[in-house]
Amino acid sequence: MSQHTASASSAQALPVIAFIGGGNMASAIIGGLIRQGHPAGQIEVVEPGSQARAALHQSYGIAAQPEAGSALQRAGIVVWAIKPQTFKDAAAQAKAHVRAALQLSVAAGIRSDSIARWLDCERVVRTMPNTPALVGKGISALYARAAVSAAERQSVEAIIACTGEFLWVEREQLLDAVTALSGSGPAYVFYFLEAMTRAGSAMGLSQPQAHQLAVATFAGAAELARRSDEPPALLRQRVTSKGGTTHAALQSMDGAGMGASFEAAIRAAEQRAHALGDEFGG
């Protein structure tokens, strides 16, 4: 599994792209596509929510439609950016218009077997992005069914690269782990940022000061880990002097079983991702 990015020129070569769902993730992808040269007139969006449609028009000049219609037939790629529980009904409404297109799903949990059956189309790619895609710093994992061609994979890469990094997985089951690790992962970071900010405020810092220190620490440590060839365990050890302040904090975390609890939490997210496929993929 390797990481990739794509150039702006690849976005310009894409066909018409239709989005089923026009919320935050769709907006992140659409914004990235437009920044890399894909014309707004080459994008179709179906979004039932009037506020989301208005936001798309204000931000990108796109006139989204409230329901699926014949305009979708010109799309070569359809991006399913909807909640798992609404996928089956949305597919039934759009099937007649999109079955000839390449299908790209960003819906958590819904397996490609279900998507292929609902749309009568074997050319399905699943991806699990995360919310840093909103600022071009996302990380996505991709899985393609056997019917997807090499050229279609490249088209998908060009779309997803607009939101940040990506990697391919060869087994679809791994997308549940990806969902738990990176798909839900930003919430874990925000959870710890909240705790660090509360602790800083309790120790006398102002809330803005504590927040700034916490955010900068996460961003800096992540960038250090990105640039380093050393594993996180070694990077952690370099900051930890025996008997020092970091050592005291880590001992407290270990004593509370924080590491094991955190791993268990991620496994719970993986199990829920699998359950979503069972629950809504029928």
Side-chain angles (χ1 to χ4, degrees):
M1 297 187 294
S2 57
Q3 304 183 156
H4 304 275
T5 58
S7 65
S9 60
S10 57
Q12 294 170 356
L14 290 168
V16 172
I17 303 170
F19 288 80
I20 311 298
N24 285 339
M25 192 54 64
S27 294
I29 299 172
I30 290 168
L33 286 167
I34 290 175
R35 284 192 297 272
Q36 294 200 13
H38 192 76
Q42 296 290 94
I43 296 173
E44 294 284 346
V45 181
V46 175
E47 168 52 52
S50 59
Q51 289 185 333
R53 292 200 305 272
L56 287 167
H57 189 267
Q58 182 177 359
S59 297
Y60 308 116
I62 292 173
Q65 302 302 313
E67 59 185 22
S70 59
L72 294 175
Q73 293 177 8
R74 70 190 192 107
I77 300 174
V78 178
V79 181
W80 295 86
I82 53 179
K83 296 183 183 300
Q85 54 267 40
T86 65
F87 203 137
K88 186 175 183 179
D89 288 343
Q93 295 168 18
K95 175 180 176 179
H97 307 297
V98 304
R99 61 194 300 178
L102 174 68
Q103 314 295 330
L104 172 60
S105 169
V106 300
I110 301 298
R111 297 174 195 124
S112 66
D113 282 346
S114 298
I115 299 169
R117 183 174 70 253
W118 294 338
L119 295 170
D120 191 22
C121 176
E122 284 294 320
R123 292 158 49 239
V124 177
V125 177
R126 281 185 62 195
T127 182
M128 189 65 239
N130 60 10
T131 55
L134 295 168
V135 293
K137 294 292 184 181
I139 178 70
S140 303
L142 296 156
Y143 167 80
R145 289 175 72 84
V148 178
S149 69
E152 288 172 331
R153 281 181 174 237
Q154 290 178 348
S155 292
V156 168
E157 290 176 0
I159 294 171
I160 297 301
C162 293
T163 66
E165 300 177 13
F166 64 87
L167 55 83
W168 288 93
V169 295
E170 297 306 316
R171 290 190 295 121
E172 186 171 6
Q173 301 95 309
L174 291 175
L175 288 180
D176 291 339
V178 171
T179 301
L181 191 64
S182 59
S184 299
Y188 314 152
V189 174
F190 301 145
Y191 183 89
F192 280 101
L193 285 174
E194 289 179 274
M196 290 173 70
T197 301
R198 287 195 302 268
S201 297
M203 292 184 291
L205 293 165
S206 70
Q207 195 277 340
Q209 287 175 326
H211 176 76
Q212 181 180 356
L213 287 164
V215 170
T217 298
F218 258 91
E223 185 61 24
L224 180 60
R226 178 192 294 274
R227 296 189 185 190
S228 178
D229 294 329
E230 297 174 335
L234 185 55
L235 294 174
R236 173 178 53 78
Q237 290 167 13
R238 293 188 187 283
V239 189
T240 309
S241 301
K242 190 170 183 179
T245 59
T246 309
H247 186 252
L250 293 175
Q251 274 195 317
S252 177
M253 292 182 195
D254 287 343
M258 186 177 292
S261 295
F262 192 27
E263 290 177 31
I266 295 173
R267 292 304 299 267
E270 178 196 30
Q271 291 163 11
R272 181 54 184 156
H274 183 80
L276 283 172
D278 292 338
E279 186 175 351
F280 299 116

